[in-house]
Amino acid sequence: MTQRFYEVPLSARTQRCTVTLLNVSYQLTITWRDAASQWLLDVADATGNALLQGLLLIPGTNLLGQYAHQGIGAGLLVMLDNGTDDTVTFDNLGSTSHLRFVVNA
């Protein structure tokens, strides 16, 4: 089985974007939390109804793995350029750490 990767273009700032995956639109909100020194991800449907909230951007883990019941139909991975499972920092989001949807084709 072949995997296809689709990168969500991000930068090191709080942001909201809309992505279309498997012909379904989702709103992604990425927020930096100083107290935890972590990036958090919220996923909503096209109308803004929350599907998932407060997912930590942890490299090497399918962020959607335990949420198959949401029917998104893909994986969501944080990948670092150096191939390690290092931490995603405030400064490296979108430069050396990347958020990618993974679809089995």
Coordinates of all heavy atoms in Angstrom, one line a residue:
M1 N 0.8 -1.2 0.0 CA 0.0 0.0 0.0 C 0.9 1.2 0.0 O 1.9 1.3 0.7 CB -0.9 0.0 1.2 CG -1.9 1.1 1.2 SD -3.1 1.1 2.6 CE -3.7 -0.6 2.5
T2 N 0.6 2.2 -0.8 CA 1.3 3.4 -1.0 C 0.7 4.5 0.0 O -0.5 4.6 0.1 CB 1.3 3.9 -2.4 OG1 1.8 2.9 -3.3 CG2 2.1 5.2 -2.6
Q3 N 1.6 5.3 0.6 CA 1.1 6.4 1.4 C 1.4 7.7 0.6 O 2.5 7.9 0.0 CB 1.8 6.4 2.7 CG 1.4 5.3 3.6 CD 2.0 5.4 5.0 OE1 3.2 5.8 5.1 NE2 1.3 5.1 6.0
R4 N 0.4 8.6 0.7 CA 0.6 10.0 0.2 C 0.6 10.9 1.3 O -0.2 10.8 2.2 CB -0.5 10.3 -0.8 CG -0.5 9.5 -2.1 CD -1.5 10.0 -3.0 NE -1.6 9.1 -4.1 CZ -2.5 9.1 -5.1 NH1 -3.4 10.0 -5.0 NH2 -2.5 8.3 -6.1
F5 N 1.6 11.9 1.2 CA 1.7 12.9 2.3 C 1.3 14.2 1.7 O 1.7 14.6 0.6 CB 3.2 12.9 2.8 CG 3.6 11.7 3.5 CD1 4.1 10.6 2.8 CD2 3.6 11.6 4.8 CE1 4.5 9.5 3.4 CE2 4.0 10.5 5.5 CZ 4.5 9.4 4.8
Y6 N 0.5 15.0 2.5 CA 0.1 16.3 2.1 C 0.5 17.2 3.3 O 0.0 17.1 4.4 CB -1.4 16.4 1.9 CG -1.9 15.4 0.8 CD1 -2.3 14.1 1.1 CD2 -1.8 15.9 -0.5 CE1 -2.7 13.3 0.1 CE2 -2.2 15.0 -1.5 CZ -2.7 13.7 -1.2 OH -3.1 12.9 -2.2
E7 N 1.3 18.2 3.0 CA 1.8 19.1 4.1 C 0.8 20.2 4.3 O 0.3 20.8 3.3 CB 3.2 19.6 3.7 CG 3.7 20.5 4.9 CD 5.2 20.7 4.8 OE1 5.9 20.0 4.0 OE2 5.7 21.5 5.6
V8 N 0.6 20.5 5.5 CA -0.2 21.7 5.9 C 0.8 22.8 6.1 O 1.7 22.7 7.0 CB -1.0 21.5 7.2 CG1 -1.7 22.7 7.6 CG2 -1.9 20.3 7.1
P9 N 0.8 23.9 5.3 CA 1.7 24.9 5.4 C 1.5 25.8 6.7 O 0.5 26.3 6.9 CB 1.5 25.8 4.1 CG 0.1 25.5 3.7 CD -0.2 24.1 4.2
L10 N 2.6 25.7 7.5 CA 2.5 26.4 8.8 C 3.7 27.3 9.0 O 4.7 27.1 8.3 CB 2.4 25.4 9.9 CG 1.2 24.5 10.0 CD1 1.4 23.4 11.1 CD2 -0.1 25.2 10.1
S11 N 3.6 28.2 9.9 CA 4.7 29.0 10.3 C 4.7 29.2 11.9 O 3.7 28.8 12.5 CB 4.7 30.4 9.7 OG 3.5 31.1 10.0
A12 N 5.7 29.7 12.4 CA 5.9 29.8 13.9 C 5.0 30.9 14.5 O 5.6 31.9 14.9 CB 7.3 29.9 14.3
R13 N 3.7 30.8 14.4 CA 2.8 31.7 15.0 C 1.4 31.1 15.1 O 1.1 30.1 14.5 CB 2.7 33.0 14.1 CG 2.1 32.7 12.7 CD 2.0 33.9 11.8 NE 1.7 33.6 10.5 CZ 0.4 33.3 10.0 NH1 -0.6 33.4 10.9 NH2 0.2 33.0 8.8
T14 N 0.6 31.6 16.0 CA -0.8 31.1 16.1 C -1.5 31.4 14.8 O -1.3 32.4 14.2 CB -1.5 31.8 17.3 OG1 -0.8 31.4 18.5 CG2 -2.9 31.4 17.4
Q15 N -2.2 30.4 14.3 CA -2.8 30.5 13.0 C -4.0 29.6 12.8 O -4.2 28.6 13.6 CB -1.8 30.2 11.9 CG -1.2 28.8 12.1 CD 0.2 28.7 11.5 OE1 0.4 28.8 10.3 NE2 1.2 28.7 12.4
R16 N -4.9 29.9 11.9 CA -6.0 29.1 11.5 C -6.0 29.0 10.0 O -5.7 29.9 9.3 CB -7.3 29.8 11.9 CG -8.5 29.0 11.5 CD -9.8 29.6 12.0 NE -9.9 29.4 13.4 CZ -10.6 30.1 14.3 NH1 -11.3 31.1 13.8 NH2 -10.6 29.9 15.5
C17 N -6.2 27.8 9.5 CA -6.3 27.5 8.1 C -7.4 26.5 7.8 O -7.8 25.8 8.7 CB -4.9 27.1 7.6 SG -4.3 25.5 8.2
T18 N -7.8 26.5 6.5 CA -8.7 25.5 6.1 C -8.0 24.6 5.1 O -7.2 25.0 4.2 CB -9.9 26.2 5.3 OG1 -10.5 27.1 6.2 CG2 -10.9 25.2 4.8
V19 N -8.2 23.3 5.3 CA -7.6 22.3 4.5 C -8.7 21.3 4.0 O -9.7 21.2 4.6 CB -6.5 21.4 5.2 CG1 -5.3 22.3 5.6 CG2 -7.0 20.7 6.4
T20 N -8.5 20.8 2.8 CA -9.4 19.9 2.2 C -8.7 18.5 2.1 O -7.7 18.4 1.5 CB -9.9 20.3 0.8 OG1 -10.6 21.6 1.0 CG2 -10.9 19.3 0.3
L21 N -9.3 17.5 2.7 CA -8.7 16.2 2.7 C -9.8 15.2 2.3 O -10.9 15.2 2.9 CB -8.2 15.8 4.1 CG -7.7 14.4 4.3 CD1 -6.5 14.2 3.5 CD2 -7.4 14.2 5.8
L22 N -9.5 14.5 1.3 CA -10.5 13.5 0.8 C -11.8 14.1 0.5 O -12.9 13.6 0.9 CB -10.6 12.3 1.7 CG -9.3 11.5 2.1 CD1 -9.6 10.5 3.1 CD2 -8.8 10.9 0.8
N23 N -11.8 15.3 -0.1 CA -13.0 16.1 -0.5 C -13.8 16.7 0.7 O -15.0 17.0 0.5 CB -13.8 15.3 -1.5 CG -13.1 15.0 -2.8 OD1 -12.4 15.9 -3.3 ND2 -13.3 13.8 -3.2
V24 N -13.2 16.7 1.9 CA -13.9 17.3 3.0 C -13.0 18.4 3.6 O -11.8 18.3 3.7 CB -14.1 16.2 4.1 CG1 -14.8 16.8 5.4 CG2 -14.9 15.0 3.6
S25 N -13.7 19.6 3.8 CA -12.9 20.7 4.4 C -12.9 20.7 5.9 O -13.9 20.4 6.5 CB -13.6 22.0 3.9 OG -13.4 22.2 2.5
Y26 N -11.7 21.0 6.4 CA -11.6 21.1 7.9 C -10.9 22.4 8.2 O -10.1 22.9 7.5 CB -10.7 20.0 8.4 CG -11.2 18.6 8.2 CD1 -10.9 17.8 7.1 CD2 -12.1 18.0 9.1 CE1 -11.4 16.6 6.9 CE2 -12.7 16.8 8.9 CZ -12.3 16.1 7.8 OH -12.8 14.8 7.6
Q27 N -11.2 23.0 9.4 CA -10.6 24.2 9.9 C -9.6 23.7 10.9 O -9.9 23.0 11.9 CB -11.6 25.1 10.5 CG -12.5 25.7 9.5 CD -13.5 26.7 10.2 OE1 -13.3 27.1 11.3 NE2 -14.6 26.9 9.5
L28 N -8.3 24.1 10.8 CA -7.3 23.8 11.7 C -6.8 25.0 12.5 O -6.6 26.1 11.8 CB -6.0 23.2 11.0 CG -6.3 21.9 10.2 CD1 -5.0 21.5 9.6 CD2 -7.0 20.8 11.0
T29 N -6.8 25.0 13.8 CA -6.3 26.1 14.6 C -5.1 25.6 15.3 O -5.1 24.6 16.0 CB -7.3 26.6 15.5 OG1 -8.5 27.0 14.8 CG2 -6.8 27.8 16.3
I30 N -3.9 26.3 15.1 CA -2.7 25.9 15.8 C -2.4 27.1 16.8 O -2.3 28.2 16.4 CB -1.5 25.8 14.8 CG1 -1.9 24.9 13.6 CG2 -0.3 25.3 15.5 CD1 -2.1 23.5 13.9
T31 N -2.2 26.7 18.0 CA -1.9 27.7 19.1 C -0.7 27.3 19.9 O -0.6 26.1 20.3 CB -3.2 27.8 20.0 OG1 -4.3 28.0 19.2 CG2 -3.0 29.0 21.0
W32 N 0.1 28.3 20.2 CA 1.3 28.0 21.1 C 0.8 28.3 22.5 O 0.2 29.3 22.8 CB 2.4 29.0 20.8 CG 3.6 28.8 21.7 CD1 3.9 29.7 22.7 CD2 4.5 27.8 21.8 NE1 5.1 29.2 23.4 CE2 5.5 28.0 22.8 CE3 4.7 26.6 21.0 CZ2 6.5 27.2 23.1 CZ3 5.8 25.7 21.4 CH2 6.7 26.1 22.4
R33 N 1.1 27.4 23.5 CA 0.8 27.6 24.9 C 2.1 27.7 25.6 O 2.9 26.8 25.8 CB 0.1 26.4 25.4 CG -1.3 26.2 24.8 CD -2.2 27.4 25.3 NE -3.6 27.2 24.9 CZ -4.3 28.1 24.3 NH1 -3.8 29.3 24.0 NH2 -5.5 27.8 23.9
D34 N 2.4 28.9 26.1 CA 3.7 29.2 26.8 C 3.8 28.3 28.1 O 4.9 27.8 28.3 CB 3.7 30.7 27.3 CG 4.1 31.6 26.1 OD1 4.9 31.2 25.3 OD2 3.6 32.7 26.1
A35 N 2.7 28.2 28.8 CA 2.8 27.4 30.1 C 3.3 26.0 29.9 O 4.0 25.4 30.7 CB 1.4 27.4 30.8
A36 N 2.9 25.4 28.7 CA 3.3 24.0 28.5 C 4.4 23.9 27.5 O 5.0 22.8 27.3 CB 2.1 23.2 27.9
S37 N 4.8 25.0 26.9 CA 5.9 25.1 25.8 C 5.5 24.1 24.8 O 6.4 23.3 24.3 CB 7.2 24.8 26.4 OG 7.6 25.8 27.3
Q38 N 4.3 24.1 24.3 CA 3.8 23.2 23.3 C 2.9 23.8 22.3 O 2.2 24.8 22.7 CB 3.0 22.0 24.0 CG 3.8 21.0 24.7 CD 4.4 20.0 23.8 OE1 4.1 19.9 22.6 NE2 5.4 19.2 24.3
W39 N 2.8 23.3 21.1 CA 1.8 23.7 20.1 C 0.6 22.8 20.3 O 0.8 21.6 20.5 CB 2.4 23.5 18.7 CG 3.4 24.6 18.3 CD1 4.7 24.4 18.2 CD2 3.1 25.9 17.9 NE1 5.3 25.6 17.8 CE2 4.3 26.5 17.6 CE3 1.9 26.6 17.7 CZ2 4.4 27.8 17.1 CZ3 2.0 27.9 17.3 CH2 3.2 28.5 17.0
L40 N -0.6 23.4 20.2 CA -1.8 22.6 20.3 C -2.6 22.8 19.0 O -2.6 23.8 18.4 CB -2.7 23.1 21.5 CG -2.1 23.0 22.8 CD1 -3.0 23.6 23.9 CD2 -1.8 21.6 23.2
L41 N -3.3 21.7 18.6 CA -4.1 21.7 17.4 C -5.5 21.4 17.7 O -5.9 20.5 18.5 CB -3.6 20.6 16.5 CG -4.4 20.2 15.3 CD1 -4.4 21.4 14.3 CD2 -3.9 18.9 14.6
D42 N -6.4 22.3 17.2 CA -7.9 22.1 17.2 C -8.3 21.8 15.8 O -7.8 22.4 14.8 CB -8.6 23.3 17.7 CG -8.3 23.6 19.2 OD1 -7.8 22.7 19.9 OD2 -8.4 24.8 19.5
V43 N -9.2 20.8 15.6 CA -9.8 20.5 14.3 C -11.3 20.7 14.4 O -12.0 20.2 15.3 CB -9.5 19.0 13.9 CG1 -10.0 18.7 12.5 CG2 -8.0 18.7 14.0
A44 N -11.8 21.4 13.4 CA -13.2 21.7 13.3 C -13.7 21.3 11.9 O -12.9 21.3 10.9 CB -13.5 23.1 13.6
D45 N -15.0 21.1 11.7 CA -15.6 20.9 10.4 C -15.6 22.3 9.7 O -15.3 23.3 10.2 CB -16.9 20.2 10.5 CG -18.0 21.0 11.1 OD1 -17.9 22.2 11.3 OD2 -19.0 20.4 11.5
A46 N -16.1 22.2 8.5 CA -16.1 23.4 7.6 C -17.0 24.6 8.2 O -16.7 25.7 7.9 CB -16.6 23.1 6.2
T47 N -17.9 24.3 9.1 CA -18.8 25.3 9.6 C -18.3 25.7 11.0 O -18.9 26.6 11.7 CB -20.3 24.8 9.7 OG1 -20.3 23.6 10.6 CG2 -20.8 24.5 8.4
G48 N -17.2 25.2 11.5 CA -16.6 25.6 12.7 C -17.0 24.8 13.9 O -16.5 25.1 15.1
N49 N -17.7 23.7 13.7 CA -18.0 22.8 14.9 C -16.8 22.0 15.2 O -16.2 21.3 14.4 CB -19.2 21.8 14.5 CG -20.5 22.6 14.2 OD1 -20.9 23.4 15.0 ND2 -21.1 22.3 13.1
A50 N -16.5 22.0 16.5 CA -15.3 21.3 17.0 C -15.4 19.8 16.8 O -16.4 19.2 17.2 CB -15.0 21.7 18.5
L51 N -14.3 19.2 16.3 CA -14.2 17.8 16.2 C -13.2 17.2 17.2 O -13.5 16.3 17.9 CB -13.8 17.3 14.8 CG -14.8 17.7 13.6 CD1 -14.2 17.4 12.3 CD2 -16.1 17.1 13.8
L52 N -12.1 17.9 17.3 CA -11.0 17.5 18.2 C -10.4 18.8 18.7 O -10.2 19.8 18.0 CB -9.9 16.7 17.4 CG -10.4 15.5 16.7 CD1 -9.2 14.9 15.8 CD2 -10.8 14.4 17.7
Q53 N -10.0 18.8 20.0 CA -9.4 20.0 20.6 C -8.2 19.6 21.5 O -8.2 18.6 22.1 CB -10.5 20.7 21.4 CG -11.6 21.3 20.6 CD -12.6 22.1 21.4 OE1 -13.1 21.5 22.4 NE2 -12.8 23.4 21.1
G54 N -7.2 20.5 21.4 CA -6.1 20.4 22.3 C -5.1 19.3 22.0 O -4.5 18.8 23.0
L55 N -5.0 18.9 20.8 CA -4.0 17.8 20.4 C -2.6 18.4 20.5 O -2.3 19.4 19.8 CB -4.3 17.3 19.0 CG -5.7 16.6 18.8 CD1 -5.8 16.2 17.3 CD2 -5.9 15.4 19.7
L56 N -1.7 17.8 21.2 CA -0.4 18.2 21.3 C 0.3 17.8 20.0 O 0.1 16.6 19.5 CB 0.4 17.5 22.5 CG -0.1 18.0 23.8 CD1 0.6 17.1 24.9 CD2 0.2 19.5 24.1
L57 N 1.2 18.6 19.4 CA 1.9 18.3 18.2 C 3.2 17.5 18.6 O 4.2 18.1 18.9 CB 2.3 19.5 17.5 CG 1.1 20.4 16.9 CD1 1.7 21.5 16.0 CD2 0.1 19.5 16.2
I58 N 3.0 16.2 18.7 CA 4.1 15.3 19.1 C 4.6 14.5 17.9 O 3.9 13.8 17.3 CB 3.6 14.3 20.2 CG1 3.0 15.1 21.4 CG2 4.7 13.3 20.6 CD1 2.3 14.2 22.4
P59 N 5.9 14.7 17.6 CA 6.5 14.0 16.4 C 6.4 12.5 16.6 O 6.5 11.9 17.7 CB 7.9 14.5 16.4 CG 7.9 15.7 17.1 CD 6.9 15.6 18.2
G60 N 6.3 11.8 15.5 CA 6.3 10.3 15.5 C 5.1 9.6 15.9 O 5.0 8.4 16.0
T61 N 4.0 10.4 16.1 CA 2.7 9.8 16.6 C 1.6 10.2 15.6 O 1.5 11.4 15.2 CB 2.4 10.3 18.0 OG1 3.4 10.0 18.9 CG2 1.1 9.7 18.5
N62 N 0.7 9.3 15.3 CA -0.4 9.6 14.5 C -1.4 10.4 15.4 O -2.0 9.8 16.3 CB -1.1 8.4 13.9 CG -2.3 8.7 13.1 OD1 -2.7 9.9 12.9 ND2 -3.0 7.7 12.6
L63 N -1.5 11.7 15.2 CA -2.3 12.5 16.1 C -3.8 12.1 16.0 O -4.6 12.4 16.9 CB -2.2 14.0 15.8 CG -0.7 14.5 15.8 CD1 -0.7 16.0 15.5 CD2 -0.1 14.3 17.2
L64 N -4.2 11.5 14.9 CA -5.6 11.1 14.7 C -5.9 9.6 15.0 O -7.0 9.2 14.9 CB -6.1 11.4 13.3 CG -5.9 12.9 12.8 CD1 -6.4 13.0 11.4 CD2 -6.8 13.8 13.7
G65 N -4.8 8.9 15.4 CA -4.9 7.5 15.6 C -6.1 7.0 16.5 O -6.8 6.1 16.2
Q66 N -6.3 7.7 17.6 CA -7.3 7.3 18.5 C -8.7 7.9 18.2 O -9.6 7.7 19.0 CB -6.9 7.6 20.0 CG -6.7 9.1 20.2 CD -6.2 9.3 21.6 OE1 -6.6 8.6 22.6 NE2 -5.4 10.3 21.8
Y67 N -8.8 8.6 17.1 CA -10.0 9.3 16.8 C -10.6 8.8 15.5 O -11.3 9.6 14.7 CB -9.8 10.8 16.7 CG -9.2 11.4 18.0 CD1 -7.9 11.8 18.1 CD2 -10.0 11.5 19.1 CE1 -7.4 12.3 19.2 CE2 -9.5 12.0 20.3 CZ -8.2 12.4 20.4 OH -7.7 12.9 21.5
A68 N -10.5 7.6 15.2 CA -11.0 7.0 13.9 C -12.5 7.2 13.8 O -13.1 7.4 12.7 CB -10.7 5.5 13.8
H69 N -13.2 7.3 15.0 CA -14.7 7.5 15.0 C -15.1 8.8 14.4 O -16.2 9.0 14.0 CB -15.2 7.3 16.4 CG -14.7 8.4 17.3 ND1 -13.5 8.3 17.9 CD2 -15.3 9.6 17.7 CE1 -13.3 9.4 18.7 NE2 -14.4 10.2 18.6
Q70 N -14.1 9.7 14.2 CA -14.4 11.0 13.6 C -14.6 10.9 12.1 O -15.0 11.9 11.5 CB -13.4 12.1 14.0 CG -13.4 12.5 15.4 CD -14.7 13.3 15.8 OE1 -15.5 13.7 15.0 NE2 -14.9 13.5 17.1
G71 N -14.1 9.8 11.5 CA -14.2 9.6 10.1 C -13.4 10.5 9.2 O -13.7 10.6 8.0
I72 N -12.3 11.0 9.7 CA -11.4 11.8 8.9 C -10.7 11.0 7.8 O -10.5 11.5 6.7 CB -10.4 12.6 9.7 CG1 -11.2 13.6 10.6 CG2 -9.3 13.3 8.9 CD1 -10.3 14.3 11.6
G73 N -10.4 9.7 8.0 CA -10.0 8.8 7.0 C -8.5 9.0 6.6 O -8.1 8.6 5.5
A74 N -7.7 9.6 7.5 CA -6.3 9.7 7.2 C -5.5 9.8 8.5 O -6.2 9.9 9.6 CB -6.0 11.0 6.4
G75 N -4.2 9.8 8.4 CA -3.4 10.1 9.6 C -2.9 11.5 9.6 O -2.9 12.2 8.6
L76 N -2.5 12.0 10.7 CA -1.9 13.3 10.8 C -0.6 13.2 11.6 O -0.6 12.7 12.8 CB -2.9 14.2 11.5 CG -2.5 15.7 11.6 CD1 -2.3 16.3 10.2 CD2 -3.6 16.5 12.3
L77 N 0.5 13.5 11.0 CA 1.8 13.3 11.6 C 2.6 14.6 11.7 O 2.5 15.4 10.8 CB 2.7 12.3 10.8 CG 2.1 10.9 10.6 CD1 3.0 10.2 9.6 CD2 2.1 10.2 11.9
V78 N 3.4 14.7 12.7 CA 4.3 15.8 12.8 C 5.7 15.2 12.5 O 6.1 14.2 13.1 CB 4.4 16.4 14.3 CG1 5.5 17.5 14.4 CG2 3.0 17.0 14.6
M79 N 6.3 15.7 11.5 CA 7.6 15.1 11.1 C 8.7 16.2 11.1 O 8.5 17.4 10.7 CB 7.5 14.6 9.6 CG 6.3 13.5 9.5 SD 6.0 13.0 7.9 CE 7.2 11.8 7.7
L80 N 9.9 15.8 11.6 CA 11.0 16.7 11.7 C 12.0 16.4 10.6 O 12.2 15.3 10.2 CB 11.7 16.7 13.0 CG 10.9 17.4 14.2 CD1 9.8 16.5 14.7 CD2 11.9 17.9 15.2
D81 N 12.6 17.5 10.1 CA 13.6 17.3 9.0 C 14.7 16.3 9.3 O 15.2 15.6 8.5 CB 14.2 18.6 8.5 CG 13.2 19.5 7.8 OD1 12.1 19.0 7.4 OD2 13.5 20.7 7.5
N82 N 15.1 16.3 10.6 CA 16.3 15.5 11.0 C 15.9 14.0 11.2 O 16.7 13.2 11.6 CB 17.0 16.1 12.2 CG 16.2 16.1 13.4 OD1 15.1 15.6 13.5 ND2 16.7 16.8 14.4
G83 N 14.6 13.7 11.1 CA 14.1 12.3 11.2 C 14.0 11.8 12.6 O 13.8 10.6 12.8
T84 N 14.2 12.7 13.6 CA 14.1 12.3 15.0 C 12.7 12.6 15.5 O 11.8 13.1 14.9 CB 15.1 13.0 15.9 OG1 14.7 14.4 15.9 CG2 16.5 12.9 15.3
D85 N 12.5 12.2 16.8 CA 11.2 12.5 17.5 C 11.5 13.7 18.5 O 10.9 13.7 19.5 CB 10.7 11.3 18.2 CG 10.2 10.2 17.3 OD1 9.9 10.5 16.1 OD2 10.1 9.1 17.7
D86 N 12.4 14.6 18.1 CA 12.6 15.8 19.0 C 11.3 16.6 19.2 O 10.3 16.4 18.5 CB 13.7 16.7 18.4 CG 15.1 16.1 18.5 OD1 15.3 15.1 19.3 OD2 16.0 16.5 17.7
T87 N 11.4 17.5 20.0 CA 10.3 18.4 20.4 C 10.0 19.4 19.3 O 11.0 20.0 18.7 CB 10.5 19.1 21.7 OG1 10.7 18.0 22.7 CG2 9.3 19.9 22.1
V88 N 8.8 19.7 19.0 CA 8.4 20.8 18.2 C 8.5 22.1 19.1 O 7.8 22.2 20.1 CB 7.0 20.7 17.6 CG1 6.7 21.9 16.7 CG2 6.9 19.4 16.8
T89 N 9.3 23.0 18.7 CA 9.5 24.2 19.5 C 8.7 25.4 18.8 O 8.2 25.3 17.7 CB 11.0 24.6 19.5 OG1 11.4 25.0 18.2 CG2 11.8 23.5 20.1
F90 N 8.7 26.5 19.6 CA 8.0 27.7 19.0 C 8.6 28.1 17.7 O 7.9 28.4 16.8 CB 8.1 28.8 20.0 CG 7.4 30.1 19.5 CD1 6.0 30.2 19.6 CD2 8.2 31.1 18.9 CE1 5.4 31.3 19.1 CE2 7.5 32.2 18.4 CZ 6.2 32.4 18.5
D91 N 9.9 28.0 17.6 CA 10.7 28.5 16.5 C 10.7 27.6 15.3 O 10.9 28.0 14.1 CB 12.1 28.9 16.8 CG 12.1 30.1 17.8 OD1 11.3 31.0 17.7 OD2 13.0 30.1 18.7
N92 N 10.6 26.3 15.5 CA 10.8 25.4 14.3 C 9.5 24.9 13.6 O 9.6 24.2 12.6 CB 11.7 24.2 14.7 CG 11.0 23.2 15.6 OD1 9.8 23.2 15.9 ND2 11.8 22.2 16.1
L93 N 8.4 25.3 14.1 CA 7.1 24.9 13.4 C 7.1 25.5 12.0 O 7.2 26.7 11.8 CB 5.9 25.4 14.2 CG 4.6 25.0 13.6 CD1 4.4 23.4 13.6 CD2 3.4 25.6 14.3
G94 N 7.0 24.7 11.0 CA 6.9 25.1 9.6 C 8.2 25.3 9.0 O 8.3 25.4 7.7
S95 N 9.3 25.3 9.7 CA 10.6 25.3 9.1 C 11.3 24.0 9.1 O 11.6 23.4 8.1 CB 11.5 26.4 9.8 OG 11.7 26.1 11.1
T96 N 11.6 23.4 10.3 CA 12.2 22.1 10.4 C 11.2 21.0 11.0 O 11.6 19.9 11.0 CB 13.5 22.1 11.2 OG1 13.2 22.5 12.5 CG2 14.5 23.0 10.5
S97 N 10.1 21.5 11.4 CA 9.0 20.5 11.8 C 7.8 20.8 11.0 O 7.4 22.0 10.7 CB 8.7 20.6 13.3 OG 8.2 21.9 13.6
H98 N 7.1 19.7 10.5 CA 6.0 19.9 9.6 C 4.8 19.0 10.0 O 5.0 17.9 10.5 CB 6.5 19.4 8.2 CG 7.8 20.0 7.8 ND1 7.9 21.3 7.2 CD2 9.1 19.7 7.9 CE1 9.1 21.6 7.0 NE2 9.9 20.6 7.4
L99 N 3.7 19.5 9.7 CA 2.4 18.8 9.9 C 1.9 18.3 8.6 O 1.8 19.0 7.6 CB 1.4 19.8 10.5 CG 0.0 19.2 10.9 CD1 0.2 18.2 12.0 CD2 -0.9 20.3 11.4
R100 N 1.8 16.9 8.5 CA 1.4 16.3 7.3 C 0.2 15.3 7.5 O 0.2 14.5 8.4 CB 2.6 15.5 6.7 CG 3.7 16.5 6.3 CD 4.9 15.7 5.6 NE 5.8 16.7 5.1 CZ 7.1 16.7 5.5 NH1 7.6 15.8 6.2 NH2 7.9 17.6 5.0
F101 N -0.7 15.4 6.6 CA -1.8 14.4 6.5 C -1.2 13.2 5.7 O -0.5 13.4 4.7 CB -3.0 14.9 5.7 CG -3.9 15.7 6.6 CD1 -4.0 17.1 6.5 CD2 -4.7 15.1 7.5 CE1 -4.8 17.9 7.2 CE2 -5.6 15.9 8.3 CZ -5.6 17.3 8.2
V102 N -1.5 12.0 6.1 CA -1.1 10.8 5.5 C -2.3 10.0 5.0 O -3.1 9.7 5.9 CB -0.2 10.0 6.4 CG1 0.3 8.7 5.7 CG2 0.9 10.8 7.0
V103 N -2.4 9.7 3.7 CA -3.5 9.0 3.2 C -2.9 7.7 2.6 O -2.0 7.7 1.8 CB -4.2 9.8 2.1 CG1 -5.4 9.0 1.5 CG2 -4.7 11.1 2.7
N104 N -3.6 6.6 2.9 CA -3.2 5.3 2.2 C -3.9 5.2 0.9 O -5.1 5.4 0.8 CB -3.6 4.1 3.1 CG -2.8 4.0 4.3 OD1 -1.6 4.3 4.4 ND2 -3.4 3.6 5.4
A105 N -3.1 5.0 -0.1 CA -3.6 5.0 -1.5 C -3.5 3.6 -2.1 O -2.7 2.8 -1.7 CB -2.9 5.9 -2.4

